Amino acid sequence: MIVAVTGPSAAGKTTWCRRHHPENLVAEYAPTGAEPDDGDLSAQAAFWSAVNCRRWQAAVARERASGLAVCDDDPLKLHYSWSLVRIGAASPELWTFEVAANRAAIAAGRLGFADVVLVSLPSVEELRRRRDGDPTRQRRNFALHVRLAEPLREWYQALELAAPGRVRWELPSDGLPAVLPAARADRYDPAVFDALIAALPHIS
C-alpha cells in the first residue's frame, strides 16, 4: 500500500510520518534552488511532473521492499498548482500545462494515485499556534500556505468524488493499522484523473 499524508504548512504531516512510520517514509521534495521560473510554462510543468514521478517511483520501491510506503505529501502534488491558481497566485495557463503533463505521466504508469490519502486541515489559529511552537523549523511563505488550505480541501473533496474511499480526513493518533487492505486497482487510471479534474470548481 502507498499512503500519502498531506495538509498545509504546520498541519503536522511531517511529524506524524516521522513518529509513526519512519522506516517507510518517502520524504517531501526539498527545493534545490535550481527549479525553473515561470518564463517557460511548459518547461515548468514538465519539471514538476518529473519531480512527482520520482517521488512516486520512490514510493513504489519502498512498497516493494517493505509492503508499505508513507509519503510526506502526495506524490501527485498537482493540488499545489490548483491551490495557487484558485487563490490567484499562479497562472491558469500553467495549470493547463501541469494537468496535461501529469495526466500523461499517469497514463504512462510513471505516476499514480496513492491508495489512501490522509488529509490534515487544522484551523488557521491552530496552524499559527503550531508554527509558533516549533522554532526548529523554518516555514517559508507561511502566510501564503495558510491561504491554500481551503483549495486543498476542494482538491481532496473532488478526489473523493472521483475515487470514493480513498480520502481520510484525519491523521490517526496511533498510526496506520497493522493490517492494511490491498493496493487499489485504479492507481494509474486516467479516467480517475479526468473525473477528479472535472469535479473541481471552475477556474475563470
Side-chain angles (χ1 to χ4, degrees):
M1 170 170 279
I2 296 177
V3 177
V5 182
T6 193
S9 180
K13 56 186 182 294
T14 300
T15 298
W16 187 91
C17 290
R18 291 176 177 173
R19 175 179 298 152
H20 296 292
H21 302 284
E23 69 282 2
N24 297 306
L25 178 61
V26 177
E28 190 172 12
Y29 173 77
T32 65
E35 293 78 13
D37 59 25
D38 56 4
D40 184 335
L41 298 183
S42 178
Q44 190 177 0
F47 175 88
W48 288 112
S49 178
V51 168
N52 292 347
C53 289
R54 287 194 296 272
R55 292 194 67 236
W56 176 257
Q57 293 305 319
V60 170
R62 171 53 54 192
E63 179 195 37
R64 188 177 298 121
S66 67
L68 174 66
V70 177
C71 304
D72 185 352
D73 213 345
D74 198 337
L76 180 56
K77 201 176 176 179
L78 192 56
H79 69 75
Y80 187 67
S81 296
W82 156 257
S83 298
L84 289 174
V85 172
R86 187 74 168 133
I87 67 170
S91 162
E93 186 179 4
L94 174 61
W95 166 248
T96 300
F97 279 115
E98 292 217 27
V99 167
N102 283 274
R103 188 189 191 284
I106 289 171
R110 294 182 285 111
L111 177 62
F113 291 96
D115 302 303
V116 174
V117 183
L118 307 178
V119 183
S120 176
L121 288 169
S123 68
V124 172
E125 293 75 17
E126 177 64 14
L127 292 172
R128 289 178 177 145
R129 187 191 68 78
R130 293 182 184 185
R131 174 202 60 184
D132 296 341
D134 185 6
T136 65
R137 296 190 61 189
Q138 292 185 342
R139 299 188 185 275
R140 298 177 299 172
N141 301 318
F142 178 80
L144 171 65
H145 288 181
V146 166
R147 295 173 61 201
L148 303 181
E150 187 55 34
L152 183 75
R153 184 193 306 276
E154 292 177 339
W155 177 268
Y156 285 104
Q157 287 173 336
L159 178 59
E160 182 62 16
L161 287 173
R166 191 170 240 123
V167 179
R168 314 286 174 85
W169 298 98
E170 65 174 349
L171 305 185
S173 59
D174 296 328
L176 294 169
V179 179
L180 298 169
R184 292 180 60 128
D186 59 356
R187 282 182 176 178
Y188 303 100
D189 188 348
V192 173
F193 183 84
D194 293 341
L196 162 60
I197 299 303
L200 292 168
H202 178 68
I203 295 177
S204 57

Short mmCIF file of all heavy atoms in Angstrom, two decimals, residues 22-79:
data_model
loop_
_atom_site.label_atom_id
_atom_site.label_comp_id
_atom_site.label_asym_id
_atom_site.label_seq_id
_atom_site.Cartn_x
_atom_site.Cartn_y
_atom_site.Cartn_z
N PRO A 22 8.71 5.99 10.33
CA PRO A 22 9.98 6.49 9.79
C PRO A 22 10.66 5.51 8.85
O PRO A 22 11.35 5.92 7.91
CB PRO A 22 10.82 6.73 11.06
CG PRO A 22 10.21 5.82 12.09
CD PRO A 22 8.75 5.82 11.78
N GLU A 23 10.48 4.21 9.07
CA GLU A 23 11.16 3.21 8.25
C GLU A 23 10.53 3.09 6.86
O GLU A 23 11.15 2.52 5.95
CB GLU A 23 11.13 1.85 8.95
CG GLU A 23 9.77 1.18 9.06
CD GLU A 23 8.87 1.75 10.15
OE1 GLU A 23 9.27 2.71 10.84
OE2 GLU A 23 7.76 1.22 10.31
N ASN A 24 9.32 3.61 6.70
CA ASN A 24 8.63 3.51 5.41
C ASN A 24 8.43 4.88 4.75
O ASN A 24 7.67 5.01 3.80
CB ASN A 24 7.25 2.85 5.60
CG ASN A 24 7.38 1.43 6.10
OD1 ASN A 24 8.08 0.62 5.50
ND2 ASN A 24 6.72 1.11 7.20
N LEU A 25 9.14 5.89 5.24
CA LEU A 25 8.90 7.26 4.83
C LEU A 25 9.50 7.58 3.47
O LEU A 25 10.65 7.26 3.18
CB LEU A 25 9.49 8.21 5.88
CG LEU A 25 9.38 9.71 5.60
CD1 LEU A 25 7.92 10.13 5.51
CD2 LEU A 25 10.09 10.50 6.70
N VAL A 26 8.70 8.24 2.63
CA VAL A 26 9.17 8.88 1.41
C VAL A 26 9.11 10.37 1.66
O VAL A 26 8.02 10.94 1.81
CB VAL A 26 8.30 8.50 0.20
CG1 VAL A 26 8.78 9.24 -1.05
CG2 VAL A 26 8.33 6.99 -0.03
N ALA A 27 10.26 11.00 1.74
CA ALA A 27 10.35 12.39 2.18
C ALA A 27 9.73 13.34 1.17
O ALA A 27 9.66 13.06 -0.04
CB ALA A 27 11.80 12.78 2.45
N GLU A 28 9.32 14.49 1.66
CA GLU A 28 8.81 15.55 0.80
C GLU A 28 9.94 16.10 -0.06
O GLU A 28 11.12 16.05 0.32
CB GLU A 28 8.22 16.67 1.67
CG GLU A 28 7.45 17.72 0.91
CD GLU A 28 6.73 18.70 1.83
OE1 GLU A 28 7.02 18.70 3.04
OE2 GLU A 28 5.88 19.45 1.33
N TYR A 29 9.60 16.62 -1.22
CA TYR A 29 10.61 17.22 -2.10
C TYR A 29 11.25 18.42 -1.40
O TYR A 29 10.57 19.26 -0.81
CB TYR A 29 9.95 17.68 -3.40
CG TYR A 29 10.88 18.47 -4.30
CD1 TYR A 29 11.85 17.82 -5.05
CD2 TYR A 29 10.80 19.85 -4.38
CE1 TYR A 29 12.72 18.53 -5.87
CE2 TYR A 29 11.65 20.58 -5.20
CZ TYR A 29 12.61 19.91 -5.94
OH TYR A 29 13.46 20.63 -6.76
N ALA A 30 12.59 18.47 -1.46
CA ALA A 30 13.34 19.58 -0.86
C ALA A 30 13.84 20.48 -1.98
O ALA A 30 14.58 20.03 -2.86
CB ALA A 30 14.52 19.05 -0.06
N PRO A 31 13.45 21.76 -2.01
CA PRO A 31 13.90 22.67 -3.06
C PRO A 31 15.42 22.75 -3.12
O PRO A 31 16.10 22.71 -2.09
CB PRO A 31 13.29 24.01 -2.65
CG PRO A 31 12.10 23.66 -1.81
CD PRO A 31 12.51 22.41 -1.07
N THR A 32 15.94 22.86 -4.34
CA THR A 32 17.39 22.91 -4.54
C THR A 32 17.87 24.29 -4.98
O THR A 32 19.08 24.53 -4.99
CB THR A 32 17.80 21.90 -5.63
OG1 THR A 32 17.21 22.30 -6.88
CG2 THR A 32 17.32 20.50 -5.27
N GLY A 33 16.95 25.16 -5.37
CA GLY A 33 17.33 26.44 -5.92
C GLY A 33 17.47 26.42 -7.43
O GLY A 33 17.67 27.46 -8.06
N ALA A 34 17.38 25.22 -8.02
CA ALA A 34 17.51 25.08 -9.47
C ALA A 34 16.16 24.92 -10.16
O ALA A 34 16.11 24.62 -11.35
CB ALA A 34 18.40 23.88 -9.79
N GLU A 35 15.08 25.13 -9.43
CA GLU A 35 13.76 24.99 -10.02
C GLU A 35 13.54 26.07 -11.09
O GLU A 35 14.01 27.20 -10.93
CB GLU A 35 12.67 25.11 -8.94
CG GLU A 35 12.65 23.98 -7.95
CD GLU A 35 13.74 24.07 -6.88
OE1 GLU A 35 14.37 25.14 -6.76
OE2 GLU A 35 13.96 23.07 -6.18
N PRO A 36 12.83 25.73 -12.16
CA PRO A 36 12.61 26.71 -13.24
C PRO A 36 11.67 27.83 -12.79
O PRO A 36 10.80 27.62 -11.95
CB PRO A 36 12.00 25.88 -14.36
CG PRO A 36 11.34 24.74 -13.66
CD PRO A 36 12.20 24.44 -12.46
N ASP A 37 11.87 29.01 -13.37
CA ASP A 37 10.95 30.11 -13.10
C ASP A 37 9.76 30.01 -14.06
O ASP A 37 9.61 29.02 -14.76
CB ASP A 37 11.67 31.46 -13.22
CG ASP A 37 12.26 31.68 -14.61
OD1 ASP A 37 11.76 31.09 -15.58
OD2 ASP A 37 13.23 32.46 -14.71
N ASP A 38 8.94 31.05 -14.06
CA ASP A 38 7.72 30.99 -14.87
C ASP A 38 7.91 31.55 -16.27
O ASP A 38 6.93 31.89 -16.95
CB ASP A 38 6.57 31.71 -14.16
CG ASP A 38 6.91 33.16 -13.82
OD1 ASP A 38 8.00 33.63 -14.20
OD2 ASP A 38 6.07 33.82 -13.17
N GLY A 39 9.15 31.63 -16.75
CA GLY A 39 9.40 32.13 -18.08
C GLY A 39 8.94 31.18 -19.17
O GLY A 39 8.53 31.61 -20.25
N ASP A 40 9.01 29.88 -18.90
CA ASP A 40 8.57 28.86 -19.85
C ASP A 40 7.62 27.94 -19.12
O ASP A 40 8.05 27.03 -18.38
CB ASP A 40 9.79 28.10 -20.39
CG ASP A 40 9.42 27.08 -21.47
OD1 ASP A 40 8.26 26.63 -21.49
OD2 ASP A 40 10.30 26.74 -22.28
N LEU A 41 6.34 28.16 -19.30
CA LEU A 41 5.34 27.41 -18.53
C LEU A 41 5.35 25.94 -18.85
O LEU A 41 5.16 25.09 -17.97
CB LEU A 41 3.95 28.00 -18.79
CG LEU A 41 3.75 29.46 -18.36
CD1 LEU A 41 2.31 29.89 -18.62
CD2 LEU A 41 4.12 29.67 -16.90
N SER A 42 5.59 25.58 -20.10
CA SER A 42 5.65 24.16 -20.48
C SER A 42 6.81 23.47 -19.78
O SER A 42 6.66 22.35 -19.26
CB SER A 42 5.79 24.04 -21.99
OG SER A 42 5.90 22.68 -22.37
N ALA A 43 7.98 24.13 -19.75
CA ALA A 43 9.14 23.54 -19.08
C ALA A 43 8.91 23.44 -17.58
O ALA A 43 9.32 22.46 -16.94
CB ALA A 43 10.38 24.37 -19.38
N GLN A 44 8.26 24.44 -17.01
CA GLN A 44 7.96 24.41 -15.59
C GLN A 44 7.04 23.25 -15.25
O GLN A 44 7.28 22.51 -14.28
CB GLN A 44 7.32 25.74 -15.18
CG GLN A 44 7.18 25.92 -13.67
CD GLN A 44 6.62 27.28 -13.33
OE1 GLN A 44 6.32 28.10 -14.19
NE2 GLN A 44 6.45 27.54 -12.04
N ALA A 45 6.01 23.06 -16.06
CA ALA A 45 5.08 21.95 -15.83
C ALA A 45 5.79 20.61 -15.97
O ALA A 45 5.57 19.69 -15.17
CB ALA A 45 3.91 22.04 -16.80
N ALA A 46 6.65 20.48 -16.96
CA ALA A 46 7.38 19.23 -17.16
C ALA A 46 8.31 18.95 -15.99
O ALA A 46 8.44 17.79 -15.55
CB ALA A 46 8.18 19.29 -18.46
N PHE A 47 8.95 20.00 -15.46
CA PHE A 47 9.86 19.83 -14.32
C PHE A 47 9.10 19.28 -13.11
O PHE A 47 9.52 18.29 -12.49
CB PHE A 47 10.51 21.16 -13.97
CG PHE A 47 11.37 21.10 -12.74
CD1 PHE A 47 12.70 20.74 -12.82
CD2 PHE A 47 10.84 21.41 -11.48
CE1 PHE A 47 13.49 20.67 -11.67
CE2 PHE A 47 11.62 21.35 -10.34
CZ PHE A 47 12.96 20.98 -10.43
N TRP A 48 7.98 19.91 -12.76
CA TRP A 48 7.28 19.49 -11.55
C TRP A 48 6.60 18.13 -11.73
O TRP A 48 6.51 17.35 -10.78
CB TRP A 48 6.28 20.56 -11.13
CG TRP A 48 6.99 21.76 -10.58
CD1 TRP A 48 7.05 23.00 -11.14
CD2 TRP A 48 7.77 21.82 -9.39
NE1 TRP A 48 7.82 23.83 -10.37
CE2 TRP A 48 8.27 23.14 -9.28
CE3 TRP A 48 8.09 20.90 -8.40
CZ2 TRP A 48 9.08 23.54 -8.22
CZ3 TRP A 48 8.90 21.31 -7.35
CH2 TRP A 48 9.38 22.61 -7.26
N SER A 49 6.18 17.82 -12.94
CA SER A 49 5.66 16.48 -13.19
C SER A 49 6.76 15.44 -12.99
O SER A 49 6.51 14.37 -12.41
CB SER A 49 5.08 16.39 -14.60
OG SER A 49 4.62 15.08 -14.87
N ALA A 50 7.97 15.75 -13.44
CA ALA A 50 9.09 14.83 -13.26
C ALA A 50 9.41 14.65 -11.77
O ALA A 50 9.73 13.54 -11.32
CB ALA A 50 10.32 15.33 -14.01
N VAL A 51 9.33 15.73 -11.00
CA VAL A 51 9.52 15.63 -9.55
C VAL A 51 8.48 14.68 -8.95
O VAL A 51 8.80 13.80 -8.15
CB VAL A 51 9.43 17.02 -8.89
CG1 VAL A 51 9.32 16.90 -7.36
CG2 VAL A 51 10.64 17.87 -9.25
N ASN A 52 7.22 14.87 -9.35
CA ASN A 52 6.16 13.99 -8.86
C ASN A 52 6.43 12.53 -9.22
O ASN A 52 6.24 11.63 -8.38
CB ASN A 52 4.82 14.42 -9.45
CG ASN A 52 4.35 15.77 -8.94
OD1 ASN A 52 4.87 16.31 -7.97
ND2 ASN A 52 3.34 16.33 -9.60
N CYS A 53 6.88 12.31 -10.44
CA CYS A 53 7.15 10.93 -10.89
C CYS A 53 8.28 10.29 -10.08
O CYS A 53 8.20 9.11 -9.71
CB CYS A 53 7.50 10.92 -12.37
SG CYS A 53 6.12 11.27 -13.48
N ARG A 54 9.33 11.05 -9.80
CA ARG A 54 10.44 10.49 -9.00
C ARG A 54 9.98 10.12 -7.60
O ARG A 54 10.37 9.07 -7.06
CB ARG A 54 11.60 11.48 -8.95
CG ARG A 54 12.36 11.59 -10.27
CD ARG A 54 13.68 12.30 -10.08
NE ARG A 54 13.54 13.68 -9.67
CZ ARG A 54 13.42 14.72 -10.51
NH1 ARG A 54 13.41 14.50 -11.82
NH2 ARG A 54 13.31 15.95 -10.06
N ARG A 55 9.17 10.95 -7.00
CA ARG A 55 8.67 10.63 -5.66
C ARG A 55 7.74 9.41 -5.70
O ARG A 55 7.77 8.57 -4.80
CB ARG A 55 7.95 11.83 -5.05
CG ARG A 55 8.88 13.00 -4.73
CD ARG A 55 8.20 14.03 -3.84
NE ARG A 55 7.95 13.47 -2.51
CZ ARG A 55 6.74 13.44 -1.95
NH1 ARG A 55 5.68 13.89 -2.57
NH2 ARG A 55 6.58 12.93 -0.73
N TRP A 56 6.93 9.31 -6.75
CA TRP A 56 6.06 8.14 -6.88
C TRP A 56 6.88 6.88 -7.05
O TRP A 56 6.59 5.86 -6.41
CB TRP A 56 5.12 8.33 -8.07
CG TRP A 56 4.27 7.10 -8.31
CD1 TRP A 56 4.45 6.16 -9.27
CD2 TRP A 56 3.15 6.67 -7.53
NE1 TRP A 56 3.50 5.17 -9.16
CE2 TRP A 56 2.70 5.46 -8.10
CE3 TRP A 56 2.48 7.21 -6.43
CZ2 TRP A 56 1.60 4.77 -7.59
CZ3 TRP A 56 1.39 6.51 -5.91
CH2 TRP A 56 0.96 5.32 -6.49
N GLN A 57 7.92 6.92 -7.88
CA GLN A 57 8.75 5.74 -8.07
C GLN A 57 9.48 5.36 -6.78
O GLN A 57 9.68 4.18 -6.51
CB GLN A 57 9.74 5.98 -9.22
CG GLN A 57 9.08 6.12 -10.58
CD GLN A 57 8.20 4.93 -10.94
OE1 GLN A 57 8.56 3.78 -10.68
NE2 GLN A 57 7.04 5.20 -11.53
N ALA A 58 9.87 6.36 -5.99
CA ALA A 58 10.47 6.07 -4.69
C ALA A 58 9.45 5.37 -3.78
O ALA A 58 9.80 4.45 -3.03
CB ALA A 58 10.97 7.35 -4.03
N ALA A 59 8.19 5.80 -3.86
CA ALA A 59 7.15 5.15 -3.05
C ALA A 59 6.91 3.71 -3.51
O ALA A 59 6.76 2.80 -2.69
CB ALA A 59 5.85 5.96 -3.15
N VAL A 60 6.89 3.50 -4.82
CA VAL A 60 6.71 2.14 -5.34
C VAL A 60 7.86 1.24 -4.89
O VAL A 60 7.65 0.08 -4.50
CB VAL A 60 6.59 2.17 -6.87
CG1 VAL A 60 6.65 0.76 -7.45
CG2 VAL A 60 5.31 2.87 -7.30
N ALA A 61 9.09 1.76 -4.93
CA ALA A 61 10.25 0.98 -4.50
C ALA A 61 10.17 0.65 -3.01
O ALA A 61 10.48 -0.47 -2.59
CB ALA A 61 11.53 1.74 -4.81
N ARG A 62 9.74 1.63 -2.20
CA ARG A 62 9.61 1.39 -0.76
C ARG A 62 8.51 0.36 -0.50
O ARG A 62 8.67 -0.54 0.34
CB ARG A 62 9.30 2.71 -0.06
CG ARG A 62 8.92 2.62 1.41
CD ARG A 62 9.92 1.87 2.24
NE ARG A 62 11.28 2.39 2.09
CZ ARG A 62 12.35 1.75 2.53
NH1 ARG A 62 12.24 0.56 3.12
NH2 ARG A 62 13.55 2.28 2.37
N GLU A 63 7.39 0.46 -1.21
CA GLU A 63 6.32 -0.51 -1.05
C GLU A 63 6.79 -1.91 -1.44
O GLU A 63 6.48 -2.89 -0.76
CB GLU A 63 5.12 -0.10 -1.92
CG GLU A 63 3.96 -1.07 -1.84
CD GLU A 63 2.97 -0.87 -2.97
OE1 GLU A 63 3.39 -0.56 -4.11
OE2 GLU A 63 1.76 -1.04 -2.72
N ARG A 64 7.54 -1.99 -2.52
CA ARG A 64 8.05 -3.29 -2.97
C ARG A 64 8.97 -3.92 -1.93
O ARG A 64 8.97 -5.14 -1.72
CB ARG A 64 8.77 -3.11 -4.30
CG ARG A 64 9.17 -4.43 -4.98
CD ARG A 64 9.82 -4.17 -6.32
NE ARG A 64 8.92 -3.49 -7.25
CZ ARG A 64 9.17 -2.32 -7.80
NH1 ARG A 64 10.28 -1.66 -7.53
NH2 ARG A 64 8.30 -1.78 -8.64
N ALA A 65 9.75 -3.08 -1.25
CA ALA A 65 10.72 -3.58 -0.29
C ALA A 65 10.08 -3.99 1.04
O ALA A 65 10.50 -4.97 1.65
CB ALA A 65 11.80 -2.51 -0.04
N SER A 66 9.07 -3.24 1.48
CA SER A 66 8.55 -3.48 2.83
C SER A 66 7.04 -3.69 2.90
O SER A 66 6.51 -3.99 3.97
CB SER A 66 8.91 -2.29 3.73
OG SER A 66 8.23 -1.11 3.32
N GLY A 67 6.34 -3.48 1.79
CA GLY A 67 4.90 -3.63 1.79
C GLY A 67 4.14 -2.34 2.04
O GLY A 67 2.92 -2.30 1.87
N LEU A 68 4.86 -1.28 2.45
CA LEU A 68 4.19 -0.03 2.78
C LEU A 68 5.10 1.14 2.46
O LEU A 68 6.30 1.11 2.76
CB LEU A 68 3.83 0.00 4.28
CG LEU A 68 3.26 1.31 4.83
CD1 LEU A 68 1.89 1.60 4.22
CD2 LEU A 68 3.19 1.27 6.35
N ALA A 69 4.53 2.16 1.85
CA ALA A 69 5.21 3.44 1.68
C ALA A 69 4.31 4.54 2.23
O ALA A 69 3.11 4.55 1.97
CB ALA A 69 5.51 3.72 0.20
N VAL A 70 4.90 5.43 3.02
CA VAL A 70 4.16 6.56 3.60
C VAL A 70 4.83 7.83 3.09
O VAL A 70 5.99 8.11 3.41
CB VAL A 70 4.16 6.51 5.14
CG1 VAL A 70 3.45 7.73 5.72
CG2 VAL A 70 3.49 5.23 5.63
N CYS A 71 4.10 8.59 2.31
CA CYS A 71 4.67 9.76 1.63
C CYS A 71 4.34 11.04 2.38
O CYS A 71 3.15 11.32 2.66
CB CYS A 71 4.12 9.87 0.21
SG CYS A 71 4.38 8.40 -0.80
N ASP A 72 5.36 11.79 2.72
CA ASP A 72 5.18 13.11 3.32
C ASP A 72 4.78 14.07 2.20
O ASP A 72 5.62 14.59 1.49
CB ASP A 72 6.48 13.56 3.99
CG ASP A 72 6.34 14.87 4.74
OD1 ASP A 72 5.28 15.51 4.62
OD2 ASP A 72 7.30 15.26 5.44
N ASP A 73 3.51 14.26 2.04
CA ASP A 73 2.79 14.96 0.97
C ASP A 73 2.62 14.04 -0.23
O ASP A 73 3.39 13.12 -0.47
CB ASP A 73 3.43 16.28 0.56
CG ASP A 73 2.37 17.30 0.14
OD1 ASP A 73 1.21 16.91 -0.10
OD2 ASP A 73 2.69 18.50 0.05
N ASP A 74 1.57 14.31 -0.94
CA ASP A 74 1.12 13.47 -2.04
C ASP A 74 2.12 13.52 -3.20
O ASP A 74 2.48 14.61 -3.66
CB ASP A 74 -0.24 13.99 -2.52
CG ASP A 74 -1.02 13.00 -3.34
OD1 ASP A 74 -0.40 12.09 -3.91
OD2 ASP A 74 -2.25 13.15 -3.41
N PRO A 75 2.61 12.38 -3.70
CA PRO A 75 3.46 12.42 -4.89
C PRO A 75 2.77 13.10 -6.08
O PRO A 75 3.43 13.78 -6.86
CB PRO A 75 3.73 10.94 -5.18
CG PRO A 75 3.61 10.27 -3.86
CD PRO A 75 2.50 11.01 -3.16
N LEU A 76 1.46 12.92 -6.21
CA LEU A 76 0.70 13.63 -7.23
C LEU A 76 0.36 15.01 -6.65
O LEU A 76 -0.76 15.28 -6.23
CB LEU A 76 -0.56 12.86 -7.60
CG LEU A 76 -1.46 13.48 -8.67
CD1 LEU A 76 -0.70 13.75 -9.96
CD2 LEU A 76 -2.66 12.60 -8.93
N LYS A 77 1.36 15.89 -6.66
CA LYS A 77 1.20 17.17 -5.96
C LYS A 77 0.62 18.25 -6.85
O LYS A 77 0.92 19.43 -6.70
CB LYS A 77 2.55 17.61 -5.38
CG LYS A 77 2.39 18.62 -4.24
CD LYS A 77 3.71 18.99 -3.61
CE LYS A 77 3.50 20.07 -2.55
NZ LYS A 77 4.76 20.43 -1.88
N LEU A 78 -0.25 17.86 -7.75
CA LEU A 78 -0.94 18.82 -8.59
C LEU A 78 -1.87 19.70 -7.76
O LEU A 78 -2.27 20.78 -8.19
CB LEU A 78 -1.71 18.08 -9.68
CG LEU A 78 -2.28 18.90 -10.83
CD1 LEU A 78 -1.20 19.71 -11.54
CD2 LEU A 78 -3.00 17.99 -11.82
N HIS A 79 -2.20 19.23 -6.56
CA HIS A 79 -3.04 20.04 -5.67
C HIS A 79 -2.40 21.39 -5.37
O HIS A 79 -3.10 22.38 -5.11
CB HIS A 79 -3.36 19.30 -4.37
CG HIS A 79 -2.20 19.09 -3.46
ND1 HIS A 79 -1.65 20.09 -2.70
CD2 HIS A 79 -1.47 17.97 -3.17
CE1 HIS A 79 -0.65 19.62 -1.97
NE2 HIS A 79 -0.52 18.33 -2.25
#
